[in-house]
Amino acid sequence: MTHPQPGRQVAAIMVDIDDFKVINDTQGHVVGDLVLAQTAHLLRRSVRVGDIVARFGGDEFVILLDVKDESELVDVVARIEEELKAFNAQGHAFTLYLSMGQCLCDAAEDASVADFMERLDKLMYANKLQNKLERAKQLVS
């Protein structure tokens, strides 16, 4: 995907595997590699033909989408969350937690690809913090 179709916009989702280092340290790198592969498959199942899923860093992935509006982006995020719930319900040796930041590319905010990626990264880290707080509340309850 080099340019969106006419009447469509570029959007992206940055995905981080929460506590990936803990999985590697406690269950070993073989399980860590399995987590990466399972996450890639889960993300691929959640997106449409033509969307791009790429590993971005150690435990991060980026999904590039061409959407008509924000509702399409929200739909993809919802599919990822449903796939994640289904995956965790299967009783694997680990529970997979994902944090996601998503947005439409905005020429006013994103003067460069680096600006766009920085905004995605900040949104993903905000989601990561929110997820940690929610899991901590569940442990206390």
Side-chain angles (χ1 to χ4, degrees):
M1 175 178 66
T2 55
H3 299 285
Q5 301 281 330
R8 299 184 66 80
Q9 300 174 302
V10 172
I13 305 167
M14 184 172 285
V15 180
D16 181 82
I17 302 170
D18 293 347
D19 302 320
F20 182 71
K21 182 175 179 357
V22 173
I23 293 170
N24 261 341
D25 290 349
T26 60
Q27 298 187 38
H29 291 279
V30 171
V31 174
D33 289 347
L34 178 63
V35 169
L36 289 170
Q38 292 287 348
T39 301
H41 291 300
L42 181 151
L43 296 174
R44 196 79 211 103
R45 285 192 308 270
S46 303
V47 300
R48 306 156 307 177
V49 173
D51 294 337
I52 297 170
V53 176
R55 188 167 170 205
F56 187 68
D59 63 343
E60 293 179 347
F61 293 82
V62 170
I63 303 168
L64 297 175
L65 311 132
D66 147 289
V67 298
K68 65 179 166 106
D69 57 31
E70 193 164 6
S71 69
E72 273 190 69
L73 176 58
V74 170
D75 289 345
V76 174
V77 170
R79 285 196 304 272
I80 293 169
E81 290 169 344
E82 287 302 313
E83 285 286 340
L84 181 61
K85 285 180 193 172
F87 176 86
N88 285 330
Q90 294 173 2
H92 295 276
F94 53 88
T95 301
L96 186 59
Y97 296 105
L98 301 177
S99 293
M100 294 183 275
Q102 70 271 353
C103 61
L104 299 172
C105 186
D106 180 351
E109 286 189 64
D110 306 317
S112 67
V113 171
D115 290 342
F116 184 48
M117 296 307 292
E118 183 177 341
R119 192 158 59 98
L120 275 171
D121 196 48
K122 286 178 182 176
L123 290 166
M124 185 271 300
Y125 274 104
N127 183 244
K128 181 183 274 294
L129 178 60
Q130 177 185 350
N131 291 343
K132 284 184 184 228
L133 291 173
E134 287 176 11
R135 285 196 296 273
K137 285 179 187 176
Q138 290 173 355
L139 291 174
V140 173
S141 299

